[in-house]
Amino acid sequence: MSAWNTDQGADFRGPLDVTRAATVVTDARNTVIGWSLGAERLFGYRSREIVGRPLTTFLPPGPTPSPPPPPPPPSPLPQYRGNDVRVALRRDGTETIVAVDECPLPGAGTAVRVLVATELKDLRLWDSRLALLHGLATQSPVGLAIYDADLRLTWCNTAFEREIGRPFAEFRGLRADELYSDGRFVTKGHPPTLDAVMRHVLETGEPYLDLHFQGRPPSDPDTEHLWSCAYYRLQDADGRVVGVCEDAFDISDRYRAQRRLALLVEAGRGIGTALDVVVTAEKITEVSVPAFASTVTVDLARMVLEGEVPATSGTAAMPLVRVSSRSADGAGAGEAGTARSPVEYPSGSPQDRSLSSGGLVLDNTTLVVPLRAGNGLLGLVTFVRDAESATFDGGEVALADELVARTAVSVDNARRYTRERIAALALQRQLLPQQLPETSAVDLAHRYLPTDDVTGVGGDWFDVIPLSGSRVGLVVGDVVGHGLQAAATMGRLRTTVRAFAQMDMDPVELLSRLDDLVAQSAEEQGGGPGGPAGDHADVTTGATCLYAVYDPVSRRCVMARAGHLPPAVVDPEGRVAFPDLPAGPPLGLGGLPFESLETELPVGSLLALFTDGLVEARDHDIDHGLDTLGRVLGDRHAPLEELCDRALAELVPSGSTADDTALLLVRTRELDTSQVVEWELPAEPVAAGRVRDLATRQLHHWGLDDLSFTTELVASELVTNAVRYAEGPIQVRLIRDRTLLCEVADAGHTSPHLRHSGEDDEGGRGLFIVAQLVQRWGTRYSQSGKTIWTEQAFPAAE
């Protein structure tokens, strides 16, 4: 009641209503001839004191001054909602701002017009009340409905009408139980039906708050919803009961999220407590039935039960066996140790599609999620709901994916390798790239032949590393020796190169850092300078490496090598060249600095990186191998895969050599000019606003309006940092590639650092916010300064 002013009670008449406002009647000379009680209250004059006096006695003409503080109200306007705003003088000499409306009186009598006036603040308060009522009726997300004493619907707001899905006129007069015939209250300790709850409120006047009602709204009859409801009795001004009001807010999403969280907590307690494949599979069925699905089955690859490495390809034909099954009717899994028959799924079934694609499949009330461990497929988990139950929504699909992921980790931890050769092959799969990333910079093809087909382990390696700005890093290297030790060393070098490359080091700096680490490792293990040589010397010493970076925007390639063979470069016309790239010493030897070579590669150029095992053999020298390789690569019309096969057929006809063989072919591409936009801005504070406008327009042109807000914030923050801490001018570049790239370059060399600001710090949060909004970010340096880059994933539709 306090918000509506206790002196006015529940009076809903407007302040300019003639029964409440100050009413004044004047004649043709603006002399007061009529004076109401409201006018006496507002202006302080009694009727006998003012009748016969001019209107200007209390309502002088002239401009309306602003009222004095404190607190200063909004400056009066000449009109407010069509009413004149004036300064009136009370009998005691004080001023008040009033809203005045007037109406001429017809007829030939003395009374010419009638004026009604009220304080402007009262009129504005009344407008606020009307806005509140209008908002509740049309804008509020809370469904509001009024039922009369017979519990029949007499009024509802827009949210309630939207929930029913029909115009109000079509369901007016219905009872609540008729609108939600299958609904029920799930809150304990209260009447179960809508009719009983509202009848209790009408009879006792006791309101109900936060009652949870479950049902299916007419607008969404296939989905169970949950509402938080409140009910309270309505009475008129005389205290007579006129009905009951219902407030209902849909909390279905929150309720489902709470259930999913509870299920995850329960799964965390049980899954993974035993290093046993079958026990782990049974636990996920126990947790999921009946809280999540009516039936859950777990099928595993037979090789997983035998402790073998899970398959990474050909999973569609992978033999599966049923290890656990549970239904809401009490059916459970067979006892451990019993014979398990193969499970076959027909072509086109959800399970078959999941095996073929390697991803989860949702088909009506059936959800199939693959059990994955790294690149390996362990099996399938199938969740099934009854036909009457709702299908799986997006949150539930994510929950199932999380449950299966936890189960997969536990199943994978339960596996045991039993043979050394299996361990060696697994090591090789981990050390060499199984599948090169797809990039917009180059087309790729590769081949690798180990020396020892039995162990499958060697010291040669290659890699393709996506870098910032749509660039790509190309690596090939050779480690002395063979076997597990050489493979392990190769893995260390490959991992180190990837780590340095992700720091956007140029080729010279990367090889220098790598050389330092190799030399340090050799000294620690006694195989370096000053240390005893022996069987345990680090085989990394003497390893070779070639590292190149190609930029598809500028079409420039920068490369450097450490004792490795130079690459072969084939232009679009088929001319082959081996660039005069300074060799540099092998890794770990030191002595000479590394040097790089930068060259521009036309679109369609072929770059071949290889190890000496490809071009060097007992029956011919290295020059002959290079000539043969150049002749094969000179066929500019052949696909890359065919060139790889032909190179191996010409140079390694037997299929094996005395040394490992690695070959990496890349054909350069160029980003279309429509994918790249660049601006140069002055190092001034206005640059941040300018870049926001430019970015917004460009993203709209690209159809990426969903990323506008994030990109505006990221670009303006990075430009602001450049203006504040670096030197100009500032270069801003947007690249639409597989992701949206934003780059801000300046002439400074100081790297920004991500930090957490204290609660009382006035700044320092910008880069932290940027890091939370983007997928990746980083800094790279050049001779002219530095570039800070960010990467954002496209919306799902992209």
Side-chain angles (χ1 to χ4, degrees):
M1 183 67 73
S2 60
W4 292 85
N5 290 339
T6 55
D7 61 324
Q8 296 178 6
D11 192 349
F12 282 85
R13 292 173 296 173
L16 284 176
D17 187 271
V18 71
T19 61
R20 295 182 56 192
T23 306
V24 182
V25 182
T26 64
D27 60 11
R29 297 183 178 182
N30 278 342
T31 301
V32 177
I33 61 175
W35 190 256
S36 70
L37 292 177
E40 182 177 330
R41 287 192 300 268
L42 178 60
F43 300 111
Y45 291 96
R46 296 173 180 265
S47 178
R48 63 176 180 272
E49 297 174 330
I50 195 64
V51 170
R53 298 178 67 179
L55 184 66
T56 55
T57 302
F58 58 90
L59 201 63
T64 302
S66 299
S75 299
L77 302 173
Q79 284 196 338
Y80 180 77
R81 293 205 302 112
N83 304 302
D84 290 334
V85 178
R86 308 280 291 277
V87 174
L89 297 176
R90 291 194 177 97
R91 186 177 182 276
D92 58 7
T94 60
E95 295 181 347
T96 182
I97 300 176
V98 296
V100 181
D101 199 2
E102 64 177 79
C103 178
L105 296 176
T110 305
V112 174
R113 60 175 176 164
V114 59
L115 288 85
V116 289
T118 187
E119 288 191 88
L120 182 61
K121 63 180 182 179
D122 291 339
L123 186 58
R124 284 176 170 162
L125 177 60
W126 171 249
D127 285 341
S128 299
R129 297 172 183 174
L130 292 179
L132 171 63
L133 294 175
H134 183 267
L136 290 174
T138 61
Q139 303 297 323
S140 174
V142 178
L144 298 175
I146 296 178
Y147 298 86
D148 61 18
D150 294 327
L151 301 185
R152 296 193 176 277
L153 184 67
T154 60
W155 178 88
C156 72
N157 68 347
T158 302
F160 190 94
E161 185 178 26
R162 188 164 50 245
E163 186 177 287
I164 299 300
R166 291 184 294 160
F168 172 64
E170 295 184 10
F171 58 89
R172 179 177 183 176
L174 295 180
R175 300 171 67 91
D177 286 335
E178 293 176 319
L179 295 172
Y180 294 90
S181 57
D182 297 329
R184 70 188 188 283
F185 284 101
V186 296
T187 304
K188 304 299 182 183
H190 296 84
T193 65
L194 287 164
D195 186 278
V197 166
M198 287 193 284
R199 183 67 62 189
H200 179 83
V201 172
L202 280 176
E203 294 174 354
T204 65
E206 175 187 356
Y208 279 137
L209 302 177
D210 197 26
L211 293 186
H212 289 181
F213 181 81
Q214 191 173 46
R216 299 174 185 263
S219 59
D220 188 16
D222 297 329
T223 306
E224 286 278 358
H225 285 244
L226 187 73
W227 293 268
S228 174
C229 302
Y231 299 91
Y232 45 91
R233 191 167 67 184
L234 299 178
Q235 299 173 241
D236 62 14
D238 297 326
R240 290 190 299 270
V241 176
V242 297
V244 61
C245 183
E246 176 189 61
D247 300 351
F249 185 69
D250 195 323
I251 59 170
S252 303
D253 292 339
R254 184 178 71 187
Y255 177 68
R256 283 192 287 266
Q258 291 174 343
R259 291 185 59 189
R260 290 194 287 265
L261 179 60
L263 189 61
L264 280 178
V265 172
E266 178 64 21
R269 293 195 185 106
I271 298 177
T273 55
L275 288 175
D276 183 273
V277 171
V278 175
V279 172
T280 303
E282 291 175 347
K283 193 60 184 180
I284 189 175
T285 63
E286 179 183 330
V287 169
S288 303
V289 178
F292 185 72
S294 57
T295 302
V296 178
T297 59
V298 180
D299 305 320
L300 294 181
R302 185 178 295 279
M303 60 193 309
V304 173
L305 294 176
E306 298 170 353
E308 300 286 344
V309 179
T312 58
S313 61
T315 56
M318 182 176 62
L320 298 176
V321 293
R322 176 70 46 82
V323 296
S324 183
S325 176
R326 189 177 301 272
S327 299
D329 58 8
E335 295 182 359
T338 58
R340 304 185 185 279
S341 58
V343 177
E344 296 184 2
Y345 291 104
S347 177
S349 65
Q351 292 82 356
D352 177 71
R353 284 148 49 197
S354 180
L355 288 172
S356 300
S357 65
L360 61 83
V361 173
L362 176 60
D363 188 352
N364 294 325
T365 57
T366 299
L367 174 62
V368 182
V369 184
L371 274 162
R372 306 200 66 90
N375 292 328
L377 182 65
L378 306 177
L380 299 175
V381 180
T382 303
F383 302 90
V384 180
R385 288 182 172 175
D386 295 331
E388 296 79 12
S389 303
T391 58
F392 298 92
D393 60 23
E396 290 169 331
V397 171
L399 173 61
D401 197 28
E402 176 66 19
L403 286 174
V404 174
R406 295 188 180 194
T407 303
V409 170
S410 299
V411 169
D412 191 51
N413 288 337
R415 291 191 301 113
R416 293 292 182 263
Y417 295 106
T418 58
R419 291 176 296 180
E420 183 178 349
R421 182 175 181 273
I422 297 298
L425 292 175
L427 177 62
Q428 183 191 41
R429 282 193 292 270
Q430 293 175 7
L431 297 181
L432 287 175
Q434 295 299 295
Q435 182 177 2
L436 296 180
E438 295 182 2
T439 70
S440 301
V442 294
D443 293 322
L444 302 167
H446 62 89
R447 294 293 185 272
Y448 174 76
L449 293 178
T451 302
D452 187 353
D453 290 334
V454 176
T455 61
V457 175
D460 289 13
W461 94 93
F462 60 91
D463 210 346
V464 176
I465 308 170
L467 303 176
S468 63
S470 293
R471 300 172 306 139
V472 63
L474 308 171
V475 191
V476 65
D478 188 359
V479 173
V480 177
H482 304 287
L484 287 174
Q485 186 178 3
T489 302
M490 174 266 288
R492 289 163 48 198
L493 286 180
R494 177 172 176 259
T495 301
T496 304
V497 169
R498 289 189 69 90
F500 286 162
Q502 294 297 335
M503 298 170 65
D504 281 316
M505 293 183 181
D506 63 75
V508 169
E509 183 181 6
L510 184 144
L511 292 181
S512 299
R513 295 283 189 91
L514 191 63
D515 181 63
D516 292 340
L517 289 178
V518 169
Q520 180 181 358
S521 174
E523 291 179 3
E524 291 174 350
Q525 298 192 27
D535 294 338
H536 299 289
D538 190 343
V539 296
T540 309
T541 304
T544 64
C545 182
L546 167 65
Y547 180 58
V549 176
Y550 175 69
D551 187 346
V553 178
S554 64
R555 304 192 311 277
R556 302 200 66 81
C557 181
V558 182
M559 60 185 79
R561 59 180 177 139
H564 202 84
L565 292 172
V569 179
V570 185
D571 65 16
E573 300 302 322
R575 293 185 292 267
V576 183
F578 294 89
D580 187 15
L581 178 62
L587 296 173
L589 297 184
L592 295 175
F594 299 101
E595 298 180 55
S596 64
L597 173 69
E598 182 173 359
T599 182
E600 182 173 343
L601 298 178
V603 177
S605 297
L606 179 65
L607 193 64
L609 286 72
F610 50 90
T611 59
D612 56 3
L614 178 67
V615 295
E616 189 176 16
R618 296 186 181 94
D619 58 348
H620 62 261
D621 60 17
I622 194 170
D623 291 333
H624 174 78
L626 292 176
D627 292 340
T628 302
L629 178 63
R631 176 172 50 81
V632 172
L633 299 180
D635 186 355
R636 58 191 180 94
H637 299 292
L640 294 182
E641 294 291 341
E642 180 180 336
L643 289 178
C644 282
D645 293 335
R646 288 169 55 184
L648 292 181
E650 291 277 350
L651 295 167
V652 194
S654 63
S656 63
T657 63
D659 196 4
D660 300 333
T661 298
L663 173 63
L664 175 64
L665 298 183
V666 299
R667 182 162 283 146
T668 62
R669 296 157 65 179
E670 180 186 26
L671 289 185
D672 190 83
T673 55
S674 64
Q675 296 178 259
V676 183
V677 62
E678 186 172 357
W679 306 291
E680 180 173 307
L681 303 174
E684 300 174 357
V686 297
R690 177 62 176 159
V691 77
R692 286 195 295 269
D693 295 337
L694 293 171
T696 300
R697 287 199 296 267
Q698 186 60 41
L699 291 181
H700 178 73
H701 176 70
W702 281 340
L704 297 176
D705 297 278
D706 290 344
L707 298 180
S708 293
F709 174 79
T710 303
T711 307
E712 281 186 52
L713 181 59
V714 169
S716 63
E717 180 59 35
L718 296 182
V719 169
T720 299
N721 281 346
V723 171
R724 181 176 300 177
Y725 302 111
E727 303 172 359
I730 301 170
Q731 304 289 336
V732 180
R733 186 166 69 169
L734 290 181
I735 301 176
R736 180 185 178 180
D737 193 13
R738 297 176 183 270
T739 57
L740 178 64
L741 304 171
C742 177
E743 299 182 344
V744 176
D746 56 60
H749 289 82
T750 302
S751 175
H753 295 284
L754 184 67
R755 66 186 182 93
H756 295 273
S757 300
E759 294 182 356
D760 55 349
D761 289 348
E762 296 182 0
R765 298 179 177 87
L767 195 57
F768 176 79
I769 296 175
V770 169
Q772 306 307 306
L773 294 176
V774 300
Q775 183 172 285
R776 295 194 307 150
W777 74 279
T779 306
R780 66 174 182 266
Y781 296 92
S782 63
Q783 294 180 353
S784 59
K786 69 174 184 300
T787 299
I788 304 176
W789 57 269
T790 65
E791 181 178 315
Q792 300 177 65
F794 290 135
E798 285 289 319

